Each structure stands twice: as structure tokens, then as C-alpha cells.
Amino acid sequence: MSQVLSSMAGNVWKILVKTGDHVEEGQDVAILESMKMEIPIAAEFGGAVKEVKVNEGDFVNEGDVLVELE
């Protein structure tokens, strides 16, 4: 199992995947909003989405788990 982590603190603007989706390495799984900029967060590994750990509108810190892949 691998985890997709937030690369910076910010608000979760959009979740691009749901449980059961298959993602490829480098595919964006979420978009954060920080300082009026949109920051895409990409999966470092491919796999199936086991769980989405955040909701749109949530505030996350750097290193927080956004999505778990299996």
C-alpha cells in the first residue's frame, strides 16, 4: 500500500479520484489551493484507490495523507 501525501499546507479544492478508481504514476489525484494558487497533487505510484482520506474544503498540512493506494 502507498500513500499520496500533501506537498504543502492548503485547502483541498478538488478531489479527482474516488475509492476503486485505478490511477497511474504521475496522475493528479487532488488539487490544493494555497495563497490563491492551485497546486495539483500527483500519485507517485500506480494502483487502485483504497481510501480517500480528505474531503473537498478540508485544510491539510504538509505530509498529511490525502489518498491511500493498494
Side-chain angles (χ1 to χ4, degrees):
M1 181 174 65
S2 61
Q3 298 175 325
V4 179
L5 307 177
S6 174
S7 59
M8 64 186 315
N11 291 308
V12 179
W13 183 68
K14 189 147 184 84
I15 302 290
L16 304 174
V17 296
K18 62 185 183 304
T19 302
D21 285 355
H22 181 78
V23 297
E24 301 293 329
E25 180 180 346
Q27 179 180 337
D28 291 343
V29 297
I31 300 175
L32 299 183
E33 186 275 324
S34 181
M35 300 185 308
K36 301 191 183 205
M37 296 182 355
E38 295 174 9
I39 298 97
I41 306 297
E44 294 180 14
F45 307 94
V49 176
K50 179 179 178 186
E51 184 178 1
V52 177
K53 296 285 206 174
V54 295
N55 296 305
E56 291 180 3
D58 287 354
F59 181 83
V60 295
N61 289 302
E62 182 176 348
D64 285 356
V65 178
L66 303 177
V67 177
E68 287 188 350
L69 302 175
E70 55 183 355

